[in-house]
Amino acid sequence: MILMSPPCQPFTRIGRQGDVSDPRTRSFLYFLDILPRLAKLPKYLLLENVKGFETSSARDELIRTLEKCGFTYQEFLLSPTCLGIPNSRLRYFLIARLHSEPFPFQDPGKILTDFPRQEPAGSKTSRVPAALAERSSLSKATKDPVSGYDHDGGQRPQDFLFKLETAEQLERKQQADSDLSVQMLKAYLQDDDDGEGMSQYFLPEKSLLRYAFLLDIVTPSCRRSTCFTKGYGNYIEGTGSVLQTAEEIQLESVFKPFEGLSEDEKLTKLLTLKLRYFTPREIANLQGFPPEFGFPDKVTTKQRYRLLGNSLNVQVVAKLISILVG
């Protein structure tokens, strides 16, 4: 079995999208070049990359190579929310088997946006054309489906209610929090008295004042969180949700009266929310790492965030492997 995750920088939607001309794609293209010439081909193959890979020339070359070698394959765009995990982390996946019968759910040329379901013979799983595959209720697409902000640098939404949030964005978040198929965040959080020292994770006052209107704020009872990136804990905008530990406070009561307040008054209101970053352990929980997983003591908090921001969701990958070899 080959499991691979080629460098994603050539395909990210906020990057230069150099695709096959980007030097970081060379190792992947080399793999595709030698695969047909191997004396013994791998029986199974699983590939992961960012959303955007599915429209790349590198993907097209991958498909041509797999077909040449006799692989049966299926493509996906999946987020952990498909498994009831309250975190948005949309990724491209491809699974392939050598010289096998087609997958029961296989739909050539289409990208599936959910895991296949066990259904009676003759029935079809729900399939979405690749052109429509950007749909995902909690995915990190061109526009973050939770915050609604355009990650490609496009125009930000107008007609804000409060906290730079439109009625449409607020409704989207409320719908996500009403989805009972997804667990609440509280199932993934650490206890405040677990000895790790939660005080180190509370947002600095300077950051609160500067970025308050840009934060994606969630509470333990929410059923959503945005994608955590490697910049989490170091940068604020677009790197992941922050946790409001004072659940009894309504966001609207804090942000609506902001206009006309002094800096000190604004800070006083913001501090009532008791906002903190998710800890590395909590992000690891959301990404499906087992309880016994841990980092060496010498790995700093910043390094832990960076590693987790570049990680895959373990449960999503495990589910795909079980489908692949099943």
Side-chain angles (χ1 to χ4, degrees):
M1 178 184 290
I2 293 182
L3 308 176
M4 58 178 163
S5 183
C8 66
Q9 294 91 339
F11 315 107
T12 54
R13 301 174 69 92
I14 58 175
R16 296 182 179 179
Q17 299 178 329
D19 203 342
V20 293
S21 64
D22 191 309
R24 289 168 289 193
T25 312
R26 288 175 184 169
S27 59
F28 178 60
L29 296 177
Y30 177 73
F31 167 79
L32 296 181
D33 179 60
I34 66 170
L35 184 63
R37 297 187 275 121
L38 294 178
K40 184 177 181 181
L41 290 168
K43 186 175 181 180
Y44 304 108
L45 187 147
L46 187 152
L47 177 142
E48 176 273 347
N49 216 286
V50 294
K51 174 171 172 55
F53 182 84
E54 75 279 6
T55 59
S56 68
S57 296
R59 175 265 177 194
D60 294 341
E61 186 60 33
L62 167 65
I63 297 302
R64 283 192 290 268
T65 302
L66 292 177
E67 292 176 345
K68 178 180 179 181
C69 293
F71 282 92
T72 296
Y73 65 90
Q74 180 59 57
E75 299 172 281
F76 298 86
L77 279 172
L78 298 171
S79 182
T81 52
C82 295
L83 295 177
I85 301 170
N87 180 241
S88 176
R89 196 174 187 83
L90 188 66
R91 293 294 183 267
Y92 170 90
F93 294 95
L94 178 143
I95 57 175
R97 282 200 299 232
L98 182 64
H99 302 312
S100 77
E101 294 295 321
F103 295 107
F105 51 84
Q106 188 171 339
D107 200 343
K110 303 290 179 65
I111 298 181
L112 305 187
T113 58
D114 203 348
F115 288 102
R117 296 173 176 82
Q118 297 294 330
E119 297 186 359
S123 64
K124 293 184 178 180
T125 55
S126 174
R127 301 181 176 107
V128 180
L132 301 178
E134 293 190 13
R135 184 233 27 104
S136 181
S137 59
L138 283 174
S139 64
K140 183 188 177 186
T142 308
K143 289 187 179 180
D144 188 289
V146 174
S147 68
Y149 293 153
D150 192 332
H151 291 300
D152 281 348
Q155 185 176 0
R156 292 194 179 278
Q158 303 300 316
D159 299 324
F160 303 120
L161 297 180
F162 63 94
K163 199 185 159 292
L164 297 189
E165 198 163 73
T166 65
E168 180 184 358
Q169 292 162 3
L170 184 60
E171 181 182 4
R172 188 183 297 116
K173 291 182 178 183
Q174 291 171 342
Q175 289 176 348
D177 288 331
S178 300
D179 185 355
L180 299 183
S181 69
V182 179
Q183 296 188 70
M184 291 184 180
L185 284 167
K186 64 176 66 176
Y188 299 84
L189 302 180
Q190 293 179 270
D191 294 331
D192 289 340
D193 57 352
D194 68 353
E196 185 171 345
M198 289 295 178
S199 60
Q200 65 178 303
Y201 297 107
F202 281 90
L203 271 66
E205 295 182 358
K206 183 178 179 180
S207 297
L208 279 175
L209 284 172
R210 184 174 181 180
Y211 297 105
F213 283 86
L214 301 176
L215 295 171
D216 181 70
I217 300 173
V218 294
T219 66
S221 60
C222 285
R223 301 177 188 271
R224 59 180 174 82
S225 59
T226 56
C227 181
F228 296 102
T229 73
K230 66 179 182 180
Y232 192 70
N234 188 33
Y235 301 101
I236 291 189
E237 184 178 2
T239 60
S241 302
V242 296
L243 186 69
Q244 175 188 334
T245 57
E247 285 197 81
E248 70 280 2
I249 306 296
Q250 297 296 315
L251 284 180
E252 187 172 351
S253 68
V254 172
F255 285 98
K256 272 203 168 181
F258 249 46
E259 188 175 351
L261 295 181
S262 67
E263 294 294 286
D264 288 342
E265 291 171 327
K266 290 178 182 177
L267 180 59
T268 298
K269 279 191 167 292
L270 290 169
L271 288 173
T272 63
L273 296 172
K274 298 182 180 178
L275 299 177
R276 70 166 175 85
Y277 292 108
F278 283 77
T279 70
R281 177 67 257 180
E282 291 167 341
I283 296 176
N285 292 342
L286 286 165
Q287 293 190 357
F289 287 88
E292 59 270 21
F293 169 81
F295 290 100
D297 292 338
K298 292 183 179 180
V299 179
T300 66
T301 299
K302 182 178 180 180
Q303 290 171 327
R304 296 180 188 196
Y305 281 136
R306 289 183 64 85
L307 290 167
L308 290 166
N310 283 322
S311 180
L312 300 174
N313 187 285
V314 175
Q315 292 188 31
V316 171
V317 174
K319 178 76 170 178
L320 287 170
I321 291 177
S322 68
I323 293 171
L324 178 59
V325 303

